[in-house]
Amino acid sequence: MEKIKELLLQALSSATSLDALEKIRIDFLGRKGSITTLAKNADFSKMSVEEKKGFGQKLNELKTFATAKLVEMQERLQASAPRRKSNELDLTAPGKGRRLGALHPITLAQMELEDIFQGMGFSVVYGPEIESEYFCFEALNIPHDHPARDMQDTFWLKNQLILRTHTSANQVRTLLRFGAPIRAIFPGRCFRYESIDPSHENTFYQCEGLVVDKNISVANLIAVMKTILSQVFKRDVKVRLRPGYFPFVEPGFELDLNCLICGGKGCPTCGDGWIELIPCGLIHPEVLRHAGIDPKEYSGFAFGVGLTRLAMMKFGIRDIRYLNCGDLRVNEQFSVLA
Ligand code: PHE
């Protein structure tokens, strides 16, 4: 035991690292270490009771001594190991990664629509969000006392100014500016005095479209709508027209999309197989007259895509309130789909 103690002290005095120390621990106290082996190989049968007791005591002392010395050395080595100061620059540390900006799902849907329409020869025109009562209502064949004004609860500002309730406000504004013939879309933000729930917002986006030319008919309207929707949803789509009432179109329609989820059989999303998607119609002669265009010479169609609704369908967003909540995590999950 004395010899083992001597060897241990010798080994410890030359240990310069924690790894070396661990090796020493194994050499002496490990399963096959010299102290362990000593205890295992002792032949107790040749010892008297007194001898057994003395041997056991000495062995325990040796173990305690070895453990204490090892711990002492470990503390000394740890204290002298080079340690990084907290403010020191570590050039090998991995980078922190930068948060990239992401476009809003409505922006993505709008950019895609603009691309598709531009590909079909449409111009993109942006009108003001603060609009006159005239362009938003009067010019669209909705006089003061017309019940249709109740259809759209309006935010009123001063001096007959309002927050536009629909992008149709751009129709006469744009026709006065560019005249006929014309093909244009007007994407933008609209406002209505409404209480908010999963499918209603007081602030939402529409994308209005307008074609005025000679001999424009409902057939042109259907063809353009079908082409656009096939490109948006990246497959062939079926549409149907139902009568719909808007004072600025005659005849007016609701264009329904054959449900892309159930293929028209009927499901919880669509109900009867059709999704009401785009109000539209042939431009009312009165609207053309307001724009200084002769309805005998020109005709046209107009449609109002619910851009917010389209983005929700395209990206599978179930609650409209996510779109205006300002949480960047909303944006970040859709940008890659652009
Ligand atoms: N402006 C109408 C609305 O917001 C939609 C519409 C647009 C209807 C164009 C017909 C033609 O409800």
Side-chain angles (χ1 to χ4, degrees):
M1 285 192 202
E2 284 308 313
K3 182 74 194 163
I4 287 177
K5 208 164 169 176
E6 218 174 276
L7 288 172
L8 173 71
L9 290 172
Q10 225 172 52
L12 284 175
S13 69
S14 60
T16 51
S17 71
L18 290 168
D19 283 347
L21 192 68
E22 175 61 8
K23 204 175 160 304
I24 294 170
R25 189 191 65 77
I26 291 166
D27 282 348
F28 287 85
L29 291 171
R31 214 154 43 84
K32 291 181 181 160
S34 50
I35 295 175
T36 319
T37 313
L38 190 69
K40 259 193 222 158
N41 293 351
D43 187 356
F44 289 102
S45 61
K46 291 206 181 107
M47 293 187 204
S48 68
V49 175
E50 285 300 300
E51 279 173 333
K52 277 186 205 166
K53 209 169 144 188
F55 179 83
Q57 218 163 33
K58 282 245 172 326
L59 190 71
N60 272 340
E61 274 169 26
L62 179 60
K63 270 192 198 164
T64 313
F65 175 81
T67 308
K69 283 286 170 196
L70 281 161
V71 169
E72 185 189 306
M73 195 61 188
Q74 184 186 6
E75 278 167 5
R76 215 186 298 166
L77 286 172
Q78 275 171 349
S80 63
R83 214 180 290 158
R84 194 180 309 287
K85 290 201 208 91
S86 60
N87 62 354
E88 210 173 289
L89 182 65
D90 180 1
L91 295 175
T92 64
K96 268 189 185 154
R98 212 173 259 251
R99 196 169 166 147
L100 284 180
L103 295 172
H104 193 278
I106 291 183
T107 310
L108 294 172
Q110 179 178 335
M111 283 169 30
E112 190 185 5
L113 260 190
E114 289 181 5
D115 260 9
I116 295 173
F117 275 108
Q118 279 173 320
M120 294 178 71
F122 282 70
S123 311
V124 182
V125 180
Y126 304 107
E129 291 177 351
I130 294 178
E131 185 52 280
S132 71
E133 219 188 319
Y134 175 75
F135 284 124
C136 203
F137 298 125
E138 246 100 64
L140 291 171
N141 201 25
I142 315 175
H144 258 296
D145 47 359
H146 197 287
R149 287 216 184 180
D150 298 339
M151 279 160 57
Q152 305 184 351
D153 297 302
T154 308
F155 285 111
W156 293 88
L157 309 172
K158 289 181 187 152
N159 306 328
Q160 257 92 59
L161 290 176
I162 57 172
L163 294 180
R164 69 176 172 206
T165 57
H166 54 179
T167 43
S168 304
N170 288 311
Q171 290 189 13
V172 172
R173 188 177 263 292
T174 307
L175 288 173
L176 282 172
R177 191 165 150 209
F178 297 107
I182 187 172
R183 260 181 268 179
I185 58 165
F186 326 123
R189 193 156 56 153
C190 305
F191 308 86
R192 284 184 203 178
Y193 187 59
E194 287 212 53
S195 32
I196 296 173
D197 67 27
S199 53
H200 293 91
E201 249 291 358
N202 53 33
T203 305
F204 56 95
Y205 284 75
Q206 291 187 336
C207 181
E208 189 88 1
L210 186 76
V211 171
V212 177
D213 210 330
K214 293 189 172 152
N215 302 318
I216 295 292
S217 71
V218 176
N220 300 113
L221 167 64
I222 296 176
V224 170
M225 292 295 95
K226 261 194 85 151
T227 312
I228 299 299
L229 290 172
S230 301
Q231 292 196 44
V232 168
F233 292 106
K234 302 194 166 53
R235 65 187 106 158
D236 221 16
V237 296
K238 268 197 240 156
V239 300
R240 75 171 183 194
L241 290 183
R242 275 181 300 118
Y245 172 70
F246 304 92
F248 39 94
V249 285
E250 180 57 40
F253 306 105
E254 294 283 358
L255 183 139
D256 297 342
L257 176 68
N258 195 242
C259 181
L260 296 170
I261 296 167
C262 65
K265 286 191 203 76
C267 70
T269 308
C270 63
D272 66 347
W274 295 92
I275 293 176
E276 186 178 317
L277 197 62
I278 306 178
C280 53
L282 294 190
I283 300 175
H284 197 288
E286 202 51 34
V287 175
L288 291 175
R289 267 183 224 115
H290 275 288
I293 293 167
D294 183 358
K296 287 201 197 76
E297 193 181 351
Y298 285 102
S299 57
F301 62 83
F303 53 89
V305 178
L307 189 52
T308 295
R309 180 115 183 265
L310 190 76
M312 287 174 73
M313 282 178 57
K314 190 172 159 62
F315 295 113
I317 301 167
R318 281 171 213 279
D319 192 319
I320 199 169
R321 292 170 295 188
Y322 283 123
L323 296 169
N324 287 349
C325 74
D327 190 330
L328 288 181
R329 289 173 301 177
V330 173
N331 299 16
E332 280 161 358
Q333 46 185 316
F334 301 114
S335 252
V336 284
L337 298 176

